[in-house]
Amino acid sequence: MSELTPLQRLHRIQAIDLNLDRLRAEEGNFPDDLRSARAEQDRLNNDLEDTEITLEGVEKRVRQHEQDLASLREQVARAREEQEKNAFDARAQSQYGSRIQQLEERAEELEEDLAPLRERVRELSDKASGLREQHRALRPQLGELETRDETRIQDLRDQGADERQERADLTAGLDARTIKEYDQIRKAKKGVGLAEVRGGRCSACNVVLPVNVQQKVAQGKLPPVKCPSCGRFLIRLDA
């Protein structure tokens, strides 16, 4: 590397950076089968959560109806006892009878309301059980795909190991200020911090460079000359 000029070192650093960017982008490019399996898992989780929330609400209504029904039956039983003890004439018998009838009618209404609610509980419970079973069945496949993808990602990272070391070696031969500014430009310019001058133009933004700028770039000195249009460092590789 000692035969490289500082700007040639920076050019090589950029080539490494662009390749490392590519490898990092590939890390996030999950295989379709893994993406589909994760989407299916999310769907099952969401469906199960919604089903369990709905089931909890219906079960709460069932419990409340059952409590109300039990209370009504107790009231009917007490009313019958009071009727036997206290109804000594036809008028009292009629009053108690009317009260008992009202309570029994209300109890019948609650029993009628409970039937579809209990059926709904059974339906939701069956649905939740089915979703849990699907979730369990998906786990081995998803686990295998996740393991395979971890291997894929590690392979990509291993591919970049030598280049990361080369970059560190190249960087050590340049002043920290130049590297810092290059990194800042690269971050702001979609990964490209250094552009070649070709045919008198900046290869990054295609602007025709003034002659004095081209002459300074040809000298290859630090600090690097910047493109007056896009602000990237400039280099001539044919100089």
Side-chain angles (χ1 to χ4, degrees), residues 50-65 117 120-121 124:
D50 291 344
T51 300
E52 288 179 336
I53 289 173
T54 303
L55 175 59
E56 183 180 356
V58 177
E59 287 178 333
K60 185 177 180 180
R61 292 175 62 191
V62 168
R63 288 193 299 271
Q64 185 61 56
H65 277 51
L117 288 175
R120 182 62 174 153
V121 166
L124 291 169

Side-chain angles (χ1 to χ4, degrees), residues 176-188:
R177 182 176 180 179
T178 298
I179 290 296
K180 181 178 180 180
E181 191 169 4
Y182 158 77
D183 287 337
Q184 290 173 340
I185 296 171
R186 210 175 86 85
K187 184 177 181 180

Side-chain angles (χ1 to χ4, degrees), residues 26-62:
E26 286 187 25
E27 284 188 27
N29 188 20
F30 302 109
D32 290 340
D33 51 0
L34 176 57
R35 195 185 305 276
S36 297
R38 285 177 174 175
E40 178 64 7
Q41 183 186 56
D42 289 342
R43 184 191 68 80
L44 291 172
N45 286 336
N46 291 334
D47 284 355
L48 180 58
E49 182 179 5
D50 291 344
T51 300
E52 288 179 336
I53 289 173
T54 303
L55 175 59
E56 183 180 356
V58 177
E59 287 178 333
K60 185 177 180 180
R61 292 175 62 191
V62 168

Side-chain angles (χ1 to χ4, degrees), residues 78-98:
R78 285 197 300 271
R80 291 188 184 282
E81 291 176 0
E82 292 174 2
Q83 183 184 39
E84 293 178 2
K85 293 178 182 178
N86 304 320
F88 300 113
D89 55 38
R91 181 180 179 184
Q93 284 284 350
S94 177
Q95 289 175 341
Y96 276 109
S98 177

Side-chain angles (χ1 to χ4, degrees), residues 4-237:
L4 297 178
T5 68
L7 280 179
Q8 287 172 338
R9 284 174 175 262
L10 194 59
H11 185 262
R12 174 57 186 158
I13 287 172
Q14 176 166 267
I16 292 172
D17 286 339
L18 291 174
N19 190 52
L20 293 176
D21 288 345
R22 179 186 63 79
L23 292 174
R24 279 190 290 270
E26 286 187 25
E27 284 188 27
N29 188 20
F30 302 109
D32 290 340
D33 51 0
L34 176 57
R35 195 185 305 276
S36 297
R38 285 177 174 175
E40 178 64 7
Q41 183 186 56
D42 289 342
R43 184 191 68 80
L44 291 172
N45 286 336
N46 291 334
D47 284 355
L48 180 58
E49 182 179 5
D50 291 344
T51 300
E52 288 179 336
I53 289 173
T54 303
L55 175 59
E56 183 180 356
V58 177
E59 287 178 333
K60 185 177 180 180
R61 292 175 62 191
V62 168
R63 288 193 299 271
Q64 185 61 56
H65 277 51
E66 288 176 341
Q67 291 173 4
D68 292 345
L69 182 58
S71 176
L72 283 170
R73 286 171 175 164
E74 289 176 0
Q75 292 178 54
V76 169
R78 285 197 300 271
R80 291 188 184 282
E81 291 176 0
E82 292 174 2
Q83 183 184 39
E84 293 178 2
K85 293 178 182 178
N86 304 320
F88 300 113
D89 55 38
R91 181 180 179 184
Q93 284 284 350
S94 177
Q95 289 175 341
Y96 276 109
S98 177
R99 173 61 178 161
I100 291 169
Q101 183 178 358
Q102 290 175 357
L103 292 171
E104 289 179 335
E105 288 175 353
R106 178 57 184 149
E108 289 176 1
E109 291 175 359
L110 281 175
E111 287 180 338
E112 291 176 358
D113 292 343
L114 269 170
L117 288 175
R118 286 170 174 156
E119 179 60 28
R120 182 62 174 153
V121 166
R122 284 191 291 272
E123 291 174 356
L124 291 169
S125 296
D126 290 345
K127 181 179 179 181
S129 296
L131 290 169
R132 292 190 195 98
E133 181 58 35
Q134 291 178 57
H135 195 281
R136 283 192 294 270
L138 180 63
R139 285 176 191 167
Q141 176 193 0
L142 182 58
E144 181 180 345
L145 291 172
E146 293 284 7
T147 300
R148 191 185 307 166
D149 195 60
E150 289 171 5
T151 301
R152 177 187 69 86
I153 290 173
Q154 188 58 54
D155 288 344
L156 289 171
R157 291 176 181 173
D158 290 344
Q159 289 178 40
D162 290 342
E163 287 192 324
R164 282 190 289 271
Q165 182 58 54
E166 182 184 353
R167 188 189 196 280
D169 294 340
L170 288 165
T171 301
L174 292 172
D175 66 282
R177 182 176 180 179
T178 298
I179 290 296
K180 181 178 180 180
E181 191 169 4
Y182 158 77
D183 287 337
Q184 290 173 340
I185 296 171
R186 210 175 86 85
K187 184 177 181 180
K189 297 296 181 178
K190 298 181 180 179
V192 179
L194 180 70
E196 293 182 44
V197 175
R198 298 173 186 162
R201 295 175 178 271
C202 170
S203 61
C205 67
N206 203 37
V207 164
V208 176
L209 298 168
V211 174
N212 67 318
V213 172
Q214 296 182 46
Q215 291 172 343
K216 288 181 180 179
V217 174
Q219 295 174 9
K221 296 180 179 180
L222 294 180
V225 179
K226 290 182 180 179
C227 172
S229 174
C230 67
R232 293 178 174 89
F233 286 157
L234 295 171
I235 185 174
R236 275 192 62 178
L237 296 177

